[in-house]
Amino acid sequence: MQFLSDNAAPVHPRVWDALRAADGADAPYDNDALSQRLDAAFAELFGRPCAALWVASGTAANALALAALVDPHGAVICHRDAHIEQDECGAPGFFTHGAKLMLVEGADARIAPEAVVQLMGSIRRDVHRVWPQALSVTQASEAGTVYRPKELTALGACARDHGLKLHVDGARFANAVAFLKCPPAEAAGPADALSFGCIKNGAMGAEALVLFDPALADLVRYRRKRAGHLQSKGRFLAAQLLAMLEGDLWLENAAHANAAAAELAAALPGRLLHPVEANEVFVRLSPAEREALRAQGFGFYDWGANGARFVTAWNARSADVAALARALAAL
Amino acid sequence: MQFLSDNAAPVHPRVWDALRAADGADAPYDNDALSQRLDAAFAELFGRPCAALWVASGTAANALALAALVDPHGAVICHRDAHIEQDECGAPGFFTHGAKLMLVEGADARIAPEAVVQLMGSIRRDVHRVWPQALSVTQASEAGTVYRPKELTALGACARDHGLKLHVDGARFANAVAFLKCPPAEAAGPADALSFGCIKNGAMGAEALVLFDPALADLVRYRRKRAGHLQSKGRFLAAQLLAMLEGDLWLENAAHANAAAAELAAALPGRLLHPVEANEVFVRLSPAEREALRAQGFGFYDWGANGARFVTAWNARSADVAALARALAAL
Amino acid sequence: MQFLSDNAAPVHPRVWDALRAADGADAPYDNDALSQRLDAAFAELFGRPCAALWVASGTAANALALAALVDPHGAVICHRDAHIEQDECGAPGFFTHGAKLMLVEGADARIAPEAVVQLMGSIRRDVHRVWPQALSVTQASEAGTVYRPKELTALGACARDHGLKLHVDGARFANAVAFLKCPPAEAAGPADALSFGCIKNGAMGAEALVLFDPALADLVRYRRKRAGHLQSKGRFLAAQLLAMLEGDLWLENAAHANAAAAELAAALPGRLLHPVEANEVFVRLSPAEREALRAQGFGFYDWGANGARFVTAWNARSADVAALARALAAL
Amino acid sequence: MQFLSDNAAPVHPRVWDALRAADGADAPYDNDALSQRLDAAFAELFGRPCAALWVASGTAANALALAALVDPHGAVICHRDAHIEQDECGAPGFFTHGAKLMLVEGADARIAPEAVVQLMGSIRRDVHRVWPQALSVTQASEAGTVYRPKELTALGACARDHGLKLHVDGARFANAVAFLKCPPAEAAGPADALSFGCIKNGAMGAEALVLFDPALADLVRYRRKRAGHLQSKGRFLAAQLLAMLEGDLWLENAAHANAAAAELAAALPGRLLHPVEANEVFVRLSPAEREALRAQGFGFYDWGANGARFVTAWNARSADVAALARALAAL
């Protein structure tokens, strides 16, 4: 009864099928037929031209995107709790050759335009200061919350007004779209680059880096190779991405995970640290309560001194979820 | 009848089995049981302590290794034809933060100690000059040739005498060992770091970076994460590597590929551009001859104006090899 | 009547004399007799072995120091208002190859050990997180305040306990020592590296980077060259530094500047934004008051919406200082 | 009687005068009146719009220029003997974030268009290969030879045809112009960026980085600060550069140095390793001959096992030059 991480979940059967189907000989790197289909598949999904490149991790997708959007002497504005700040061992600093992350606050790990305006207003524009060139938001956020389309529109306008490119870290983008029940393009807002997550959602080892400015794609293709991320049997990564899109498997999986999280949230509404809008549930729990739950066989991470994080995955079993909901309600 | 690249070959059935077997839930990143077994498995293989980290590409393995061995203001000595110089889009420069590759010549893409001595002797040691800190050799080489154990011993001694660490790019290390029929440790020489290739040899997307100085491993673990190469479902990479080692599948596959190459070489001995010792055959062929072969359904890369490269893979079919051998012999 | 910046002040006559005296032919780079005297001169000043390298700017001194103290995947803890964070265009990120600055708060631009302890306690030590490896403090601080020796001892102990190296940005170190009237070594605390500023204090274009761990010096000498900071006529930089030390000119100049700042501070004690301990005076002033002062011929920078910064230099003229003090008192 | 290096020569009296004249208070960094005059002064010199930035070393000028011209995944073509390859401790790799230098051969340290064509023709243009984006030539070359204007025109056309920007390392540009007796613009060819050297020619610590594409200037201004090269008392660097241009002091000094070199060359014509066109004389000399000369009080560097380099500076004394010429002739 593991609620530790959606990274721990298995690979979806339809992804396995696609992997096996990709196992004929084909051209190496991204010259195979499957990789060549990605741009069109994602352009159809988002209703606008784009380039879509497979990479093996969300960190790689994010860092490659940011490096395409800012200069080494530039900066990316992000939330203090952003994955790119907290959990990537400085990958953005490596890929951008030293650009800064500038941190803003915001409830539930989300950024409001006012925070961007305030930060930009505090920076004197001269050669001594680092000047931000991009805004990065996470959809769904690190607190399991979701930006509404109109919020993204406002953030995008704010970014544009300040000369900032917009990056969306979509490690759990599927969960956001499943929550919003809107077209994917609206859930991405006016993004210039989107890290479209699949691994937490049933893939094995492939994320899509979607570049809505195709002019960036050539640059990123070089940088992907240079970062050791151009795998020689790339067809297996492309196969995973296409399987996720096929028949909207990505949305089906995410909806399942979201529903499980909602069930957990309903069990203990007064204890929620953040609204539950995706597949993460952050709950106020004392150490004793955590111990009691673990004694019952539930796996999860502590979240600070008096909290816990439960993550539901595409394969969450009803019985496990119901059991945890009961255990939470009984606290 | 493709002889383009061993990267185009399929995944071996036993690797598939291992991948499926790894699909229970386990801890993310490299905290799973399979990943935790790698150090011991490779230490046993090489008969000395080491750390073994999975990465998704040979370029990543090489670049991470080199970055652990040289300073940003240092240099790596390698052959002019080395993969790290010719085919990695400058990945060593990225990972090392700007260290140089210093090129030496040598027949059949191999480096002799004399070349190292001569280069080192030409560099004034002061703060104006870039000073080499590592030597990188490729085993089997880019010309399909193999360093003998005593040659590696001599190179290693030469390296040590000049304060150089030794890196072995073993994208086709298995083919070298299969040729030498010696213990793996002898085929690696006194390497400080070895990129142990599996992808060209039947894996899907995993290479092992083997660090014989375990003190380097902590550093490299950070840098792997920072480079976006710490995949969250790392158990699937570990599974591939362990499957390759299990029952010496890696040697069995390489021996098969080598035998096919030898069969091709025997068909046209007078035309060989390099001795055939691994799974690559470089042949003098005129454009007309190349065209004729292609018309018969054989796929391969041109090699310069009057040459061709044929690569045999773990799954080379006897009939295809025999057909190509006949076609070559008939030229 | 300029109080804009001590960078705008002229070169001290004794520095001019030393420059002229250095104009005989001598060996290039840092092989000249003057450059060779620096290590000993600074070792004598600080009473412990060190290497002292000239560089042309405080930014270069700071960034070279930090790059010697932290890995590319590491971090430096500094105050939110630190010069390295606010005013160096990301130089630390460039020289360290992407290490992070992690910001802490603290009154009057000074850091308390508690802030370091709290920050370190908040960082999970694993490969996903960036781990700080150095603490940087500014002496005198960006708010014109001075760390007391016992405060530095405590910070140094805290740093050591957490495995952090200690860097001191001493762009105005002379003003701190002149204020503390203590041995320089006590004003530097247990620093591993000190940027010893001279340019704001009467030099033309030379700062000393003092490395108290001589083992770092070789590394930094390479990096200095690599950064284009090994000037070919380095004797002129060495001459400036030696002139500053000769007869304690550095302390004499700083004491003069400090006294002028104290005189200004005394004129308007209720308006001070920070204690005045060095040569910077931060005052609460309305826009109308600022305008009035400027109309009387005083030059200075605005400091936020309702403040101003006055900087006194080594050459502050009594009449100017008295005039400004009167004008401030009359507000 | 030193002929070691023009870096060892003193500062010209007119440069000293300019330095003293710059010693009034003025705005810091490059906001002073002198720095503001540089763009116009160099635009007039070259007869076309440009931005001219002071920096403290030729290495900084070269590396900043190259970093503005190539991507981190790109390359610069240069001569094997180029200063940027041989004598800058990898500064181009640092500033460009890892771009490669690709080396070509050529008599007398000069590059012929054919060498560029051949190199470019050898590189497959795909994501695996590093693709050159700039060509760097040294005027006067490291062998003391000078490109003729028509040669630069041809190289420029070749560069343009291959999409390469053109950088000129002009550490001894003055000597080249003094030799060619042509307009400076012709001696620079269709350069995109020129490192205009002054330090070897009578300045103390200032070179001009001249960017003929003003669009690059903003980028380089940020990078100069980020590299610690925006000195706070920049007026003293600007003063040196303006003094060198004033009354063509730069040409006068270089002509004097060239004449001295020519006098030496005439003494031993059969022993010259390279044509003597600037202020460097490379001579075939046995160890015994070198020893004999040194015993007579002449200082110079060995050049390989059987050679020597004599450099003449702006202040070469007639008597010293005549004495050395006699000593050489007497060998």
Side-chain angles (χ1 to χ4, degrees):
Chain A
M1 297 190 292
Q2 288 302 326
F3 296 87
L4 277 167
S5 170
D6 33 12
N7 281 325
V11 172
H12 193 278
R14 282 158 59 188
V15 173
W16 278 117
D17 292 345
L19 284 167
R20 294 310 295 251
D23 198 24
D26 202 339
Y29 304 107
D30 61 353
N31 299 315
D32 60 283
L34 298 176
S35 297
Q36 297 292 317
R37 282 173 49 198
L38 290 179
D39 289 0
F42 280 89
E44 186 184 337
L45 186 69
F46 285 99
R48 55 176 170 140
C50 66
L53 287 73
W54 42 254
V55 286
S57 72
T59 295
N62 288 337
L64 283 167
L66 296 177
L69 299 180
V70 306
D71 286 316
H73 58 278
V76 176
I77 299 175
C78 68
H79 196 280
R80 173 175 300 279
D81 296 335
H83 196 269
I84 56 173
E85 163 68 11
Q86 292 288 341
D87 292 294
E88 301 190 349
C89 193
F94 178 44
F95 281 74
T96 63
H97 301 297
K100 238 184 228 300
L101 300 185
M102 290 192 180
L103 310 180
V104 295
E105 313 280 346
D108 301 322
R110 297 191 309 176
I111 298 174
E114 292 70 27
V116 176
V117 171
Q118 185 181 6
L119 175 59
M120 294 302 291
S122 75
I123 307 174
R124 197 180 63 239
R125 186 157 197 175
D126 66 31
V127 81
H128 302 266
R129 301 296 301 263
V130 174
W131 186 252
Q133 298 173 303
L135 170 66
S136 177
V137 298
T138 309
Q139 174 78 313
S141 84
E142 286 79 6
T145 56
V146 173
Y147 288 93
R148 305 304 187 270
K150 70 179 177 186
E151 292 172 328
L152 290 168
T153 302
L155 273 168
C158 169
R160 195 181 53 242
D161 289 349
H162 290 88
L164 302 167
K165 299 285 184 182
L166 182 62
H167 166 251
V168 177
D169 175 354
R172 294 188 178 93
F173 185 69
N175 303 285
V177 177
F179 172 78
L180 293 170
K181 298 185 174 62
C182 72
E186 293 183 17
D192 294 286
L194 167 69
S195 303
F196 183 99
C198 290
I199 298 174
K200 297 178 194 293
N201 197 30
M204 176 190 283
E207 312 275 84
L209 170 50
V210 186
L211 301 163
F212 293 106
D213 176 356
L216 295 175
D218 272 352
L219 181 68
V220 175
R221 285 183 205 282
Y222 274 93
R223 286 175 175 265
R224 177 175 63 169
K225 171 64 191 176
R226 180 169 171 82
H229 280 289
L230 183 65
Q231 294 192 30
S232 57
K233 294 184 177 172
R235 54 196 180 274
F236 292 109
L237 286 88
Q240 296 176 57
L241 300 181
L242 293 170
M244 293 300 293
L245 296 190
E246 179 75 26
D248 280 340
L249 177 60
W250 68 295
L251 284 177
E252 181 185 313
N253 284 356
H256 180 88
N258 284 6
E263 186 175 339
L264 296 180
L268 208 57
R271 300 268 202 122
L272 297 177
L273 297 172
H274 302 289
V276 174
E277 299 178 345
N279 67 325
E280 294 186 287
V281 183
F282 298 87
V283 183
R284 191 160 26 81
L285 282 186
S286 71
E289 291 169 328
R290 294 190 303 222
E291 195 179 339
L293 287 173
R294 288 196 172 108
Q296 297 172 58
F298 299 106
F300 55 91
Y301 281 116
D302 288 354
W303 212 251
N306 286 286
R309 185 188 76 160
F310 301 89
V311 185
T312 55
W314 68 268
N315 69 329
R317 286 183 300 182
S318 309
D320 293 353
V321 174
L324 177 55
R326 280 193 306 272
L328 287 171
L331 287 174
Chain B
M1 296 192 297
Q2 287 302 325
F3 296 86
L4 277 167
S5 169
D6 32 13
N7 281 324
V11 172
H12 192 277
R14 281 159 58 188
V15 175
W16 278 116
D17 292 346
L19 284 168
R20 293 310 292 252
D23 197 24
D26 202 338
Y29 306 109
D30 61 355
N31 300 313
D32 60 283
L34 298 175
S35 298
Q36 297 291 317
R37 284 174 49 198
L38 291 179
D39 289 1
F42 279 89
E44 188 185 334
L45 186 69
F46 284 99
R48 55 173 170 143
C50 66
L53 287 74
W54 42 251
V55 287
S57 72
T59 295
N62 288 336
L64 282 168
L66 296 176
L69 299 179
V70 304
D71 285 316
H73 57 277
V76 176
I77 300 176
C78 68
H79 195 280
R80 174 176 299 283
D81 295 336
H83 196 268
I84 56 173
E85 162 69 10
Q86 292 288 341
D87 290 295
E88 301 190 349
C89 193
F94 179 43
F95 281 72
T96 63
H97 302 296
K100 238 184 229 300
L101 301 183
M102 290 191 179
L103 310 180
V104 294
E105 313 280 345
D108 301 321
R110 298 192 308 176
I111 299 175
E114 292 69 28
V116 176
V117 171
Q118 184 180 9
L119 175 60
M120 293 303 290
S122 75
I123 306 176
R124 195 180 65 239
R125 186 156 197 177
D126 66 29
V127 81
H128 301 267
R129 300 294 301 262
V130 173
W131 186 252
Q133 299 173 305
L135 168 66
S136 178
V137 298
T138 308
Q139 173 77 315
S141 83
E142 288 78 6
T145 57
V146 173
Y147 288 94
R148 305 305 189 268
K150 67 178 179 186
E151 292 172 329
L152 290 168
T153 302
L155 273 169
C158 169
R160 196 181 51 242
D161 289 349
H162 289 87
L164 302 168
K165 299 285 184 181
L166 182 62
H167 167 252
V168 176
D169 176 355
R172 293 186 179 94
F173 185 70
N175 302 285
V177 178
F179 172 77
L180 293 170
K181 296 186 176 63
C182 72
E186 294 183 18
D192 295 284
L194 167 69
S195 304
F196 184 99
C198 290
I199 299 174
K200 297 177 193 295
N201 196 29
M204 176 192 280
E207 312 276 85
L209 171 51
V210 186
L211 301 163
F212 294 105
D213 176 356
L216 295 176
D218 272 353
L219 182 69
V220 175
R221 286 185 206 280
Y222 274 93
R223 287 176 175 265
R224 176 176 63 170
K225 172 63 193 178
R226 181 170 169 82
H229 279 289
L230 182 65
Q231 295 193 29
S232 57
K233 295 183 177 172
R235 55 195 178 277
F236 292 110
L237 286 88
Q240 296 176 58
L241 300 180
L242 293 170
M244 293 299 294
L245 297 190
E246 180 75 26
D248 280 341
L249 177 60
W250 66 296
L251 284 178
E252 180 185 314
N253 283 356
H256 180 90
N258 284 6
E263 185 175 340
L264 296 181
L268 207 58
R271 299 272 201 117
L272 297 178
L273 298 171
H274 303 289
V276 174
E277 301 179 342
N279 67 325
E280 295 186 285
V281 183
F282 298 87
V283 184
R284 192 159 27 80
L285 283 187
S286 70
E289 290 168 326
R290 294 190 303 221
E291 195 178 342
L293 286 173
R294 288 197 172 107
Q296 297 170 60
F298 299 106
F300 55 90
Y301 282 115
D302 288 355
W303 212 252
N306 286 289
R309 183 188 77 160
F310 301 89
V311 186
T312 55
W314 68 269
N315 69 329
R317 287 184 300 183
S318 310
D320 293 352
V321 175
L324 177 55
R326 281 192 306 271
L328 286 171
L331 287 175
Chain C
M1 295 190 295
Q2 287 302 326
F3 296 86
L4 276 168
S5 169
D6 33 13
N7 281 324
V11 172
H12 192 278
R14 281 159 57 188
V15 175
W16 278 118
D17 292 345
L19 285 167
R20 294 308 296 251
D23 198 24
D26 201 339
Y29 305 108
D30 61 355
N31 299 315
D32 60 284
L34 298 176
S35 297
Q36 297 292 317
R37 284 174 47 198
L38 290 179
D39 290 1
F42 280 89
E44 187 185 336
L45 185 68
F46 284 99
R48 54 174 172 145
C50 65
L53 288 74
W54 43 251
V55 287
S57 72
T59 295
N62 288 336
L64 283 167
L66 296 176
L69 299 180
V70 305
D71 285 317
H73 58 277
V76 177
I77 299 176
C78 68
H79 195 280
R80 173 175 299 282
D81 296 335
H83 196 269
I84 57 174
E85 162 68 11
Q86 292 288 342
D87 291 294
E88 301 190 348
C89 194
F94 178 43
F95 280 74
T96 63
H97 300 296
K100 238 185 229 302
L101 300 184
M102 290 191 179
L103 309 180
V104 294
E105 313 280 345
D108 301 322
R110 298 193 307 178
I111 299 175
E114 293 70 27
V116 176
V117 171
Q118 184 180 8
L119 175 59
M120 294 303 290
S122 75
I123 306 175
R124 199 180 63 239
R125 186 156 196 178
D126 68 28
V127 80
H128 301 267
R129 300 296 301 264
V130 174
W131 187 253
Q133 298 173 305
L135 168 66
S136 177
V137 297
T138 309
Q139 175 76 316
S141 84
E142 288 78 6
T145 57
V146 173
Y147 288 94
R148 303 308 187 268
K150 68 179 179 183
E151 292 172 328
L152 290 168
T153 302
L155 274 169
C158 169
R160 194 180 53 240
D161 289 349
H162 289 87
L164 302 168
K165 300 285 186 181
L166 182 62
H167 167 252
V168 177
D169 175 354
R172 293 188 179 94
F173 185 69
N175 302 284
V177 178
F179 172 76
L180 293 170
K181 298 188 174 59
C182 71
E186 293 184 18
D192 294 286
L194 166 70
S195 303
F196 184 99
C198 290
I199 299 174
K200 296 178 193 295
N201 197 28
M204 176 191 281
E207 313 275 83
L209 171 50
V210 185
L211 301 163
F212 293 106
D213 177 356
L216 295 175
D218 271 354
L219 182 68
V220 175
R221 287 184 204 279
Y222 275 94
R223 286 176 175 265
R224 177 175 62 170
K225 171 63 192 177
R226 181 170 170 81
H229 279 289
L230 182 64
Q231 295 193 27
S232 57
K233 295 183 178 172
R235 55 195 179 274
F236 292 109
L237 286 89
Q240 296 177 57
L241 299 181
L242 293 171
M244 293 299 293
L245 296 190
E246 179 75 24
D248 280 340
L249 177 61
W250 66 297
L251 284 177
E252 180 185 314
N253 284 356
H256 180 89
N258 284 7
E263 184 175 340
L264 296 180
L268 207 57
R271 301 271 200 115
L272 298 178
L273 297 171
H274 303 289
V276 173
E277 299 179 344
N279 67 325
E280 294 187 286
V281 183
F282 298 88
V283 183
R284 191 160 29 80
L285 283 186
S286 70
E289 290 169 328
R290 293 189 304 222
E291 194 178 341
L293 286 173
R294 288 195 173 109
Q296 296 171 59
F298 298 107
F300 55 90
Y301 281 118
D302 288 355
W303 212 253
N306 287 287
R309 184 188 78 161
F310 301 89
V311 186
T312 54
W314 68 268
N315 69 329
R317 286 183 300 181
S318 310
D320 294 352
V321 174
L324 177 55
R326 280 193 305 273
L328 287 171
L331 287 175
Chain D
M1 296 189 294
Q2 288 302 326
F3 296 86
L4 277 167
S5 170
D6 33 12
N7 282 324
V11 172
H12 193 279
R14 280 160 57 187
V15 174
W16 278 116
D17 293 344
L19 284 167
R20 294 308 295 252
D23 197 25
D26 202 339
Y29 305 106
D30 62 353
N31 299 313
D32 60 283
L34 298 176
S35 297
Q36 298 292 316
R37 283 173 47 197
L38 291 178
D39 290 1
F42 280 88
E44 187 184 336
L45 185 69
F46 285 98
R48 54 175 172 141
C50 66
L53 287 73
W54 42 253
V55 286
S57 72
T59 295
N62 288 337
L64 283 167
L66 296 176
L69 299 180
V70 306
D71 285 316
H73 58 277
V76 177
I77 299 174
C78 68
H79 195 279
R80 174 175 299 282
D81 296 334
H83 195 269
I84 57 173
E85 164 67 11
Q86 293 287 343
D87 291 296
E88 301 190 350
C89 192
F94 179 43
F95 281 74
T96 63
H97 301 296
K100 238 185 229 301
L101 300 184
M102 291 191 178
L103 310 181
V104 294
E105 313 279 348
D108 301 322
R110 298 192 309 175
I111 300 174
E114 292 69 27
V116 176
V117 171
Q118 183 180 7
L119 175 60
M120 294 302 291
S122 75
I123 306 174
R124 195 181 66 240
R125 186 157 196 176
D126 66 29
V127 80
H128 302 266
R129 300 297 301 263
V130 174
W131 186 253
Q133 297 172 306
L135 169 66
S136 178
V137 298
T138 308
Q139 175 78 316
S141 84
E142 288 78 6
T145 56
V146 173
Y147 288 94
R148 304 306 187 270
K150 69 180 178 186
E151 291 173 327
L152 290 169
T153 302
L155 272 169
C158 169
R160 195 180 53 240
D161 289 350
H162 290 88
L164 302 168
K165 299 286 184 181
L166 182 63
H167 167 251
V168 176
D169 176 353
R172 294 189 178 92
F173 185 69
N175 302 286
V177 177
F179 172 77
L180 293 170
K181 296 186 176 62
C182 71
E186 293 183 18
D192 294 285
L194 166 69
S195 303
F196 184 99
C198 291
I199 298 174
K200 296 178 194 296
N201 197 29
M204 174 191 284
E207 312 275 86
L209 170 51
V210 186
L211 301 162
F212 293 106
D213 176 356
L216 295 175
D218 271 353
L219 182 68
V220 175
R221 286 183 205 280
Y222 274 94
R223 286 175 175 266
R224 177 176 61 169
K225 170 65 192 175
R226 181 171 170 81
H229 280 289
L230 182 64
Q231 295 192 29
S232 57
K233 294 183 178 172
R235 54 195 178 275
F236 292 108
L237 287 88
Q240 295 176 58
L241 300 180
L242 293 170
M244 293 299 294
L245 297 191
E246 180 74 26
D248 279 339
L249 176 62
W250 67 295
L251 284 178
E252 180 185 315
N253 284 355
H256 179 90
N258 285 6
E263 185 176 341
L264 296 180
L268 209 57
R271 301 270 202 118
L272 298 178
L273 298 171
H274 302 289
V276 174
E277 300 178 344
N279 65 325
E280 295 187 285
V281 183
F282 299 87
V283 183
R284 191 159 28 80
L285 283 186
S286 71
E289 291 168 326
R290 293 190 302 222
E291 196 180 339
L293 287 173
R294 288 197 172 107
Q296 299 171 58
F298 300 106
F300 54 89
Y301 281 117
D302 287 355
W303 212 253
N306 288 288
R309 184 189 76 161
F310 301 89
V311 186
T312 54
W314 68 268
N315 68 329
R317 285 185 300 183
S318 309
D320 294 351
V321 174
L324 176 56
R326 281 193 305 271
L328 287 170
L331 288 175

